[in-house]
PDB file of all heavy atoms in Angstrom:
ATOM      1  N   GLY A 296      78.571 -71.759  84.171  1.00 97.00           N
ATOM      2  CA  GLY A 296      78.503 -70.567  84.997  1.00 97.00           C
ATOM      3  C   GLY A 296      78.845 -69.248  84.332  1.00 97.00           C
ATOM      4  O   GLY A 296      79.004 -68.233  84.999  1.00 97.00           O
ATOM      5  N   GLY A 298      76.967 -67.420  82.461  1.00 98.00           N
ATOM      6  CA  GLY A 298      75.842 -66.474  82.420  1.00 98.00           C
ATOM      7  C   GLY A 298      74.840 -66.734  81.306  1.00 98.00           C
ATOM      8  O   GLY A 298      74.111 -65.822  80.902  1.00 98.00           O
ATOM      9  N   LYS A 299      74.777 -67.974  80.844  1.00 98.00           N
ATOM     10  CA  LYS A 299      73.846 -68.321  79.759  1.00 98.00           C
ATOM     11  C   LYS A 299      72.386 -68.075  80.155  1.00 98.00           C
ATOM     12  O   LYS A 299      71.638 -67.414  79.435  1.00 98.00           O
ATOM     13  CB  LYS A 299      73.995 -69.814  79.384  1.00 98.00           C
ATOM     14  CG  LYS A 299      75.336 -70.172  78.792  1.00 98.00           C
ATOM     15  CD  LYS A 299      75.463 -71.662  78.526  1.00 98.00           C
ATOM     16  CE  LYS A 299      75.505 -72.516  79.769  1.00 98.00           C
ATOM     17  NZ  LYS A 299      76.627 -72.255  80.672  1.00 98.00           N
ATOM     18  N   THR A 300      71.993 -68.615  81.297  1.00 98.00           N
ATOM     19  CA  THR A 300      70.587 -68.523  81.696  1.00 98.00           C
ATOM     20  C   THR A 300      70.202 -67.072  81.964  1.00 98.00           C
ATOM     21  O   THR A 300      69.104 -66.632  81.613  1.00 98.00           O
ATOM     22  CB  THR A 300      70.343 -69.412  82.933  1.00 98.00           C
ATOM     23  OG1 THR A 300      70.823 -70.739  82.639  1.00 98.00           O
ATOM     24  CG2 THR A 300      68.881 -69.478  83.288  1.00 98.00           C
ATOM     25  N   THR A 301      71.119 -66.337  82.555  1.00 98.00           N
ATOM     26  CA  THR A 301      70.848 -64.923  82.853  1.00 98.00           C
ATOM     27  C   THR A 301      70.666 -64.119  81.567  1.00 98.00           C
ATOM     28  O   THR A 301      69.744 -63.297  81.459  1.00 98.00           O
ATOM     29  CB  THR A 301      72.010 -64.340  83.685  1.00 98.00           C
ATOM     30  OG1 THR A 301      72.170 -65.135  84.863  1.00 98.00           O
ATOM     31  CG2 THR A 301      71.743 -62.901  84.081  1.00 98.00           C
ATOM     32  N   ASP A 442      80.498 -55.830  84.101  1.00 95.00           N
ATOM     33  CA  ASP A 442      80.378 -54.884  85.218  1.00 95.00           C
ATOM     34  C   ASP A 442      81.451 -55.143  86.271  1.00 95.00           C
ATOM     35  O   ASP A 442      81.652 -54.330  87.171  1.00 95.00           O
ATOM     36  CB  ASP A 442      78.981 -55.001  85.861  1.00 95.00           C
ATOM     37  CG  ASP A 442      78.626 -56.451  86.205  1.00 95.00           C
ATOM     38  OD1 ASP A 442      78.791 -57.334  85.341  1.00 95.00           O
ATOM     39  OD2 ASP A 442      78.192 -56.697  87.342  1.00 95.00           O
ATOM     40  N   GLU A 468      73.423 -58.453  87.062  1.00 97.00           N
ATOM     41  CA  GLU A 468      72.563 -59.608  87.279  1.00 97.00           C
ATOM     42  C   GLU A 468      71.087 -59.302  87.057  1.00 97.00           C
ATOM     43  O   GLU A 468      70.256 -60.202  87.099  1.00 97.00           O
ATOM     44  CB  GLU A 468      72.764 -60.134  88.709  1.00 97.00           C
ATOM     45  CG  GLU A 468      74.184 -60.590  88.955  1.00 97.00           C
ATOM     46  CD  GLU A 468      74.346 -61.249  90.316  1.00 97.00           C
ATOM     47  OE1 GLU A 468      74.588 -60.510  91.291  1.00 97.00           O
ATOM     48  OE2 GLU A 468      74.220 -62.470  90.402  1.00 97.00           O
TER      49      GLU A 468
HETATM   50  N1  GTP B 733      77.960 -59.370  87.867  1.00 96.21           N
HETATM   51  C1  GTP B 733      77.363 -60.117  86.930  1.00 96.21           C
HETATM   52  N2  GTP B 733      76.932 -61.344  87.232  1.00 96.21           N
HETATM   53  C2  GTP B 733      76.352 -62.072  86.264  1.00 96.21           C
HETATM   54  C3  GTP B 733      76.191 -61.587  84.941  1.00 96.21           C
HETATM   55  N3  GTP B 733      75.587 -62.558  84.211  1.00 96.21           N
HETATM   56  C4  GTP B 733      75.368 -63.586  85.051  1.00 96.21           C
HETATM   57  N4  GTP B 733      75.820 -63.317  86.289  1.00 96.21           N
HETATM   58  C5  GTP B 733      75.810 -64.187  87.479  1.00 96.21           C
HETATM   59  O1  GTP B 733      76.647 -65.312  87.222  1.00 96.21           O
HETATM   60  C6  GTP B 733      76.108 -66.469  87.862  1.00 96.21           C
HETATM   61  C7  GTP B 733      75.910 -67.569  86.826  1.00 96.21           C
HETATM   62  O2  GTP B 733      74.932 -67.136  85.923  1.00 96.21           O
HETATM   63  P1  GTP B 733      74.010 -68.171  85.124  1.00 96.21           P
HETATM   64  O3  GTP B 733      73.168 -67.383  84.197  1.00 96.21           O
HETATM   65  O4  GTP B 733      73.336 -69.115  86.041  1.00 96.21           O
HETATM   66  O5  GTP B 733      75.136 -68.954  84.306  1.00 96.21           O
HETATM   67  P2  GTP B 733      74.962 -70.245  83.384  1.00 96.21           P
HETATM   68  O6  GTP B 733      75.951 -70.123  82.293  1.00 96.21           O
HETATM   69  O7  GTP B 733      73.552 -70.421  83.012  1.00 96.21           O
HETATM   70  O8  GTP B 733      75.408 -71.397  84.416  1.00 96.21           O
HETATM   71  P3  GTP B 733      75.255 -72.992  84.208  1.00 96.21           P
HETATM   72  O9  GTP B 733      73.880 -73.230  83.683  1.00 96.21           O
HETATM   73  O10 GTP B 733      75.470 -73.548  85.577  1.00 96.21           O
HETATM   74  O11 GTP B 733      76.337 -73.395  83.254  1.00 96.21           O
HETATM   75  C8  GTP B 733      74.811 -66.027  88.512  1.00 96.21           C
HETATM   76  O12 GTP B 733      75.070 -65.741  89.862  1.00 96.21           O
HETATM   77  C9  GTP B 733      74.448 -64.747  87.763  1.00 96.21           C
HETATM   78  O13 GTP B 733      73.662 -63.869  88.529  1.00 96.21           O
HETATM   79  C10 GTP B 733      76.676 -60.257  84.635  1.00 96.21           C
HETATM   80  O14 GTP B 733      76.613 -59.752  83.519  1.00 96.21           O
HETATM   81  N5  GTP B 733      77.262 -59.579  85.674  1.00 96.21           N
END
Side-chain angles (χ1 to χ4, degrees):
K299 295 176 292 299
T300 307
T301 304
D442 51 311
E468 299 186 273

